[in-house]
């Protein structure tokens, strides 16, 4: 079986076996789908997904509510959903709508109401104790499933999928962790599956197309059901036309959407078990699914492969893969796709670090559809980090004559510096940027530092992408010797990673047995430094002015990082500032809450500071000429997504 072969779900023909599964976007306005949502899903359909499932978080009942959800039970939602369906259909793809009720895994404060759940068993992801559903509540929610399914039919969806994964009262009824009922909806598997079966039947009665079940094969929570329970669950649940496999709950979404901080759960064997227990098509995925995973999933018996983050990183992944072309890879960072939605950061809607168009589909045309530059220019780019390379590739594709000069012996800049330890997948981004530069025909000059005097007047424009300088720890700030964490990171990296350029030797930074690391950065470099130190020191105390180190790291990754550090013996001291390192090495810490001080006597002090923009070249050129721009960290050191965004935005404009 091939990913690009046509398939069928029931009587529904599907152009290929690549599925874009539901992704929480927050493109919702007062319970209604928006134009941004339609454009977001249309881009994945146009990019080659034969089937789109979603939108995500379409609710079946007013007892589940929130700013991020679509009120599918309300007829007022039909016009917006019709626009979503039309956009996907116009691209030649099919669309199946997914319905859910969040149960115990959300909050009721949006509508000032209690959350309904099988039992008074709270989710670790929500602070509220839910209300145990009465028989009347059960009947009302079942009616809601039927009404919502009817509305999806009116909107033109090709079928309906019921969510029994994260954010789902259906899964909670199946779960011994969430369902402690003693009536006909509790007890053994047949009782706990009753509500699911009744919901499937209610939806099938109002739906012309196939009815699917999106099922977590294991909850990954203490007290929840496990992979070994799959045969019993599928022996008790009935009435679905296809099975879509997922894993986890809302409380375990850092594993469900495993990224750079944790190892993903093994799903191929449980999926194969599920395939053996059903006689309907199975849609399979891994916690992070790539095109390269499709053969293994097909070998496990699935008929369709679902993708999420990879199609956010490059909406045209499937069409490019079908044509044998290169596509940009997801780097598993979870910074924008998850943190932007769950953490309400970055404007509160879905985005992607390596794809500035994701979440901005109504604002930005696809790169493949960009018009050529009206006036091609000779452009010099100074700096081969992510901002400079992204700009250079996109600008050259638009017809500009681009030369890129990089002081080091390879492209990638601080992106490749970061690509070690837990952030090693960042090297995929660096490799993709290098490939794009080469494919676009950019003239690259390595080992070519640039001063203002080197910039000839003949250039039509100059783009400064010199990045940021590592933080400097002034000698007069601390009397005792302090190690700069950026020096530690540089000395530890580089082995086997193409394009890094020159590297310091690992022995260049001396570390004692007893180390105190002070986190003045608050992000993932603190984790990287801590893991490096744990390889070299006998004890590592990590001190932070926050509650614990790297506190500002995106929430989907932070639990895994904390577990990795503590599992290897690091100790955390929160709410402390580093006031002094005396000449004899004695460290004075100040409690930021009480003002009290305490001392330590480590062998080595390591400080993780903050970088500053390397802006000298830009400021000098800006005094000399009008056609000079700066992008990325040369403006201000920020996360990786801003480097991509700055570089691509300028290239789109020029």
């Amino acid at each position: 079986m091939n990913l690009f072969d046509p398939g069928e779900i029931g009587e529904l023909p599907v152009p290929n076996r690549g599925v874009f599964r539901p992704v929480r976007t927050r493109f919702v306005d007062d319970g209604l789908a928006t134009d941004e949502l339609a454009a977001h899903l249309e881009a994945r359909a146009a990019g080659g997904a034969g089937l789109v499932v979603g939108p995500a978080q379409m609710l079946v009942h007013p007892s589940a509510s929130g700013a991020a959800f679509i009120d599918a039970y309300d007829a007022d939602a039909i016009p917006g959903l019709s626009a979503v369906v039309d956009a996907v259909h116009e691209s030649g793809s099919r669309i199946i709508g997914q319905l859910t009720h969040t149960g115990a895994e959300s909050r009721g404060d949006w509508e000032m109401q209690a959350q309904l759940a099988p039992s008074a068993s709270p989710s670790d992801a929500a602070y509220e104790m839910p209300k145990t559903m009465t028989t009347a509540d059960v009947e009302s929610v079942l009616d809601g499933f039927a009404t919502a399914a009817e509305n999806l039919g009116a909107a033109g969806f090709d079928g309906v999928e019921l969510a029994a994964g994260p954010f789902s009262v259906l899964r909670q009824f199946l779960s011994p962790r969430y369902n402690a009922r003693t009536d006909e909806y509790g007890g053994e598997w047949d009782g706990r599956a009753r509500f699911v079966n009744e919901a499937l039947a209610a939806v099938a009665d109002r739906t012309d197309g196939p009815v699917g079940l999106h099922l977590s094969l294991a909850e990954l929570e203490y007290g929840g059901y496990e992979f070994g329970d799959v045969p019993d669950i599928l022996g008790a649940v009935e009435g679905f036309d296809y099975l879509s496999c997922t894993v986890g709950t809302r409380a375990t979404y850092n594993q469900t959407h495993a990224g750079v901080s944790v190892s993903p759960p093994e799903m191929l064997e449980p999926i194969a078990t599920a395939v053996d227990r059903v006689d309907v098509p199975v849609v399979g995925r891994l916690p992070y699914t790539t095109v390269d995973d499709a053969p293994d999933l097909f070998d496990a018996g699935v008929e369709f492969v679902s993708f999420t983050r990879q199609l956010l990183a490059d909406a045209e992944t499937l069409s490019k893969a079908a044509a044998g072309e290169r596509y940009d890879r997801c780097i598993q960072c979870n910074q924008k796709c998850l943190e932007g939605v769950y953490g309400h950061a970055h404007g509160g809607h879905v985005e992607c670090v390596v794809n500035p168009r994701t979440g901005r589909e109504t604002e930005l045309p696809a790169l493949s559809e960009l018009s050529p530059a009206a006036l091609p220019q000779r452009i010099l780019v100074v700096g081969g980090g992510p901002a400079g390379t992204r700009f250079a590739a996109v600008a050259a594709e638009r017809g500009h004559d681009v030369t890129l000069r990089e002081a080091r012996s390879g492209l990638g800049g601080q992106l490749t510096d970061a690509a070690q330890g837990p952030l090693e997948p960042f090297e995929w981004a660096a490799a993709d940027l290098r490939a794009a530069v080469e494919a676009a025909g950019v003239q690259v000059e390595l080992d070519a530092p640039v001063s203002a005097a080197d910039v000839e007047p003949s250039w039509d424009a100059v783009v400064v992408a010199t990045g940021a300088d590592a933080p400097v720890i002034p000698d007069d700030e601390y009397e005792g010797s302090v190690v700069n964490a950026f020096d530690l990171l540089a000395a530890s990296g580089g082995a086997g990673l193409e394009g890094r350029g020159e590297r310091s030797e690992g022995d260049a930074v001396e570390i004692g047995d007893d180390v105190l690391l002070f986190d003045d950065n608050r992000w993932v470099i603190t984790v990287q430094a801590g893991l490096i130190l744990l390889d070299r020191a006998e004890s590592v105390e990590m001190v932070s002015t926050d509650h614990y180190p790297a506190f500002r790291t995106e929430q989907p990754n932070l639990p895994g990082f904390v577990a990795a550090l503590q599992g290897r013996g690091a100790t955390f001291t929160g709410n402390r500032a580093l006031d002094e390192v005396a000449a004899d090495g004695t460290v004075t810490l100040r409690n930021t809450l009480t003002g009290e001080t305490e001392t330590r006597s480590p062998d080595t002090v390591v400080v993780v500071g903050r970088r500053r923009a390397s802006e000298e070249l830009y400021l000098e050129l800006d005094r000399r000429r009008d056609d000079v721009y700066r992008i990325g960290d040369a403006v201000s050191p920020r996360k990786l997504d801003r480097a991509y965004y700055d570089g691509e935005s300028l290239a789109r404009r020029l």
Side-chain angles (χ1 to χ4, degrees):
M1 191 175 297
N2 187 285
L3 187 59
F4 309 107
D5 291 339
E8 290 185 349
I9 297 178
E11 297 182 358
L12 178 68
V14 181
N16 62 54
R17 298 175 186 273
V19 180
F20 182 56
R21 75 182 193 92
V23 174
R24 296 171 183 86
T25 64
R26 295 183 70 87
F27 287 138
V28 180
D29 183 11
D30 197 20
L32 306 179
T34 64
D35 292 342
E36 289 80 5
L37 177 59
H40 179 76
L41 296 182
E42 187 274 336
R44 275 74 209 168
L51 174 65
V52 172
V53 180
Q57 296 182 314
M58 291 199 292
L59 297 179
V60 302
H61 196 269
S63 59
S65 62
F69 302 99
I70 295 173
D71 297 334
Y73 59 84
D74 189 339
D76 288 345
I78 294 175
L81 292 175
S82 294
V84 170
V85 170
D86 291 345
V88 171
H89 281 168
E90 287 171 6
S91 294
S93 300
R94 304 293 190 177
I95 181 167
I96 291 177
Q98 188 190 77
L99 296 177
T100 194
H101 186 296
T102 55
E105 293 179 288
S106 191
R107 305 185 328 218
D109 50 5
W110 183 254
E111 295 289 351
M112 297 299 289
Q113 61 186 0
Q115 292 299 99
L116 301 183
S119 304
S121 300
S123 166
D124 289 341
Y127 61 80
E128 293 186 8
M129 179 67 75
K131 172 196 171 187
T132 299
M133 293 172 69
T134 64
T135 300
D137 291 330
V138 168
E139 293 174 352
S140 182
V141 172
L142 288 172
D143 287 343
F145 271 104
T147 299
E150 190 171 293
N151 289 341
L152 294 193
F157 282 87
D158 298 304
V160 179
E161 179 178 284
L162 274 64
F167 273 108
S168 172
V169 77
L170 297 180
R171 191 209 75 253
Q172 293 159 32
F173 266 90
L174 291 171
S175 169
R177 156 82 167 78
Y178 290 90
N179 185 347
R181 301 175 73 101
T182 57
D183 63 3
E184 65 269 32
Y185 292 100
E188 300 301 320
W189 286 111
D190 287 345
R192 296 206 302 273
R194 177 172 178 164
F195 182 76
V196 180
N197 291 337
E198 290 178 349
L200 285 165
V203 168
D205 189 52
R206 305 286 185 94
T207 302
D208 293 331
V211 176
L213 180 66
H214 186 59
L215 178 67
S216 279
L217 300 184
E219 292 190 288
L220 307 179
E221 284 194 61
Y222 181 79
Y225 64 78
E226 302 174 351
F227 285 128
D229 295 316
V230 168
D232 290 329
I233 295 173
L234 294 178
V237 177
E238 60 186 11
F240 50 90
D241 298 311
Y242 72 90
L243 178 69
S244 174
C245 299
T246 187
V247 67
T249 71
R250 187 191 175 197
T252 59
Y253 78 113
N254 64 309
Q255 300 175 65
T256 300
H257 301 85
V260 292
S261 69
V262 296
S263 297
E266 296 290 341
M267 289 186 63
L268 284 174
E269 184 175 342
I271 287 173
T273 299
V275 169
D276 289 341
R277 297 304 193 276
V278 300
D279 58 0
V280 296
V282 173
V283 182
R285 77 168 187 95
L286 303 181
Y288 165 70
T289 311
T290 71
V291 171
D292 293 339
D293 294 317
D296 289 338
L297 285 163
F298 287 134
D299 287 345
V302 310
E303 295 188 32
F304 294 85
V305 176
S306 60
F307 300 84
T308 49
R309 286 174 289 181
Q310 177 52 46
L311 299 195
L312 299 179
D314 192 334
E316 299 175 353
T317 294
L318 293 172
S319 60
K320 289 177 179 177
E325 299 174 0
R326 184 193 65 81
Y327 51 84
D328 288 334
R329 291 168 288 180
C330 168
I331 58 174
Q332 304 180 18
C333 66
N334 288 341
Q335 286 180 25
K336 305 284 280 188
C337 55
L338 292 184
E339 181 73 352
V341 177
Y342 286 91
H344 299 215
H346 313 300
H349 59 76
V350 68
E351 297 180 41
C352 178
V353 164
V354 301
N355 185 358
R357 186 176 186 243
T358 294
R360 300 182 180 88
E361 288 85 2
T362 57
E363 304 170 27
L364 303 175
L367 288 176
S368 59
E369 299 172 359
L370 280 183
S371 301
L375 181 64
Q377 302 179 59
R378 289 185 65 250
I379 301 175
L380 173 65
V381 181
V382 183
T389 50
R390 185 69 167 194
F391 169 84
V394 176
E397 287 287 352
R398 294 192 59 222
H400 293 295
D401 181 1
V402 181
T403 296
L404 189 157
R405 292 177 181 168
E406 164 58 41
R408 290 164 60 171
S409 60
L411 299 180
Q414 294 184 28
L415 177 58
T416 52
D417 291 342
Q420 58 182 294
L423 297 190
E424 191 169 351
F426 279 30
E427 173 59 19
W428 304 341
D432 289 342
L433 288 168
R434 290 192 289 268
V437 163
E438 181 178 0
V442 176
Q443 180 176 333
V444 176
E445 300 175 6
L446 299 176
D447 297 311
V450 175
S451 68
D454 297 326
V455 179
E456 302 89 346
S458 58
W459 296 106
D460 295 319
V462 180
V463 176
V464 178
T466 46
D469 296 323
V472 175
I473 301 174
D475 294 337
D476 58 355
E477 186 169 329
Y478 304 114
E479 294 183 32
S481 176
V482 174
V483 172
N484 190 325
F486 282 80
D487 293 337
L488 177 73
L489 192 68
S492 300
L497 292 178
E498 175 189 359
R500 280 191 182 276
E502 296 300 323
R503 270 284 163 268
S504 304
E505 294 298 326
D507 295 336
V509 178
E510 295 184 1
I511 298 296
D513 291 335
D514 181 13
V515 176
L516 184 146
L517 180 149
F518 177 62
D519 174 21
D520 194 31
N521 185 280
R522 302 183 176 188
W523 197 53
V524 68
I525 186 175
T526 300
V527 176
Q528 291 177 295
L531 292 172
I532 292 169
L533 291 170
L534 287 164
D535 284 335
R536 300 178 57 180
E538 293 183 3
S539 67
V540 177
E541 179 183 11
M542 303 181 69
V543 178
S544 177
T545 53
D546 281 311
H547 300 309
Y548 44 85
F551 191 71
R552 306 302 169 180
T553 298
E554 51 280 340
Q555 291 298 310
N557 293 331
L558 187 55
F561 288 148
V562 169
L565 291 165
Q566 291 186 332
R568 293 182 56 188
T571 59
F572 292 177
T573 301
N575 304 312
R576 301 295 193 278
L578 179 61
D579 271 3
E580 181 185 19
V581 180
D584 64 357
T586 301
V587 172
T588 300
L589 303 178
R590 173 175 45 84
N591 189 310
T592 58
L593 302 178
T594 68
E596 296 179 354
T597 61
E598 56 197 277
T599 61
R600 303 281 195 276
S601 298
D603 297 324
T604 305
V605 176
V606 177
V607 172
V608 190
R610 302 189 190 191
R611 298 172 299 139
R612 295 182 181 274
S614 179
E615 60 184 359
E616 291 78 10
L617 177 63
Y618 168 79
L619 295 175
E620 178 63 25
L621 288 174
D622 190 48
R623 287 191 287 268
R624 298 185 179 200
R625 55 192 301 158
D626 295 328
D627 49 5
V628 59
Y629 308 87
R630 61 172 165 171
I631 54 177
D633 284 359
V635 179
S636 172
R638 293 154 291 166
K639 290 187 177 181
L640 179 59
D641 64 288
R642 297 297 294 272
Y644 273 81
Y645 180 84
D646 282 5
E648 183 175 310
S649 295
L650 180 60
R652 285 173 176 269
R653 296 197 307 270
L654 288 185

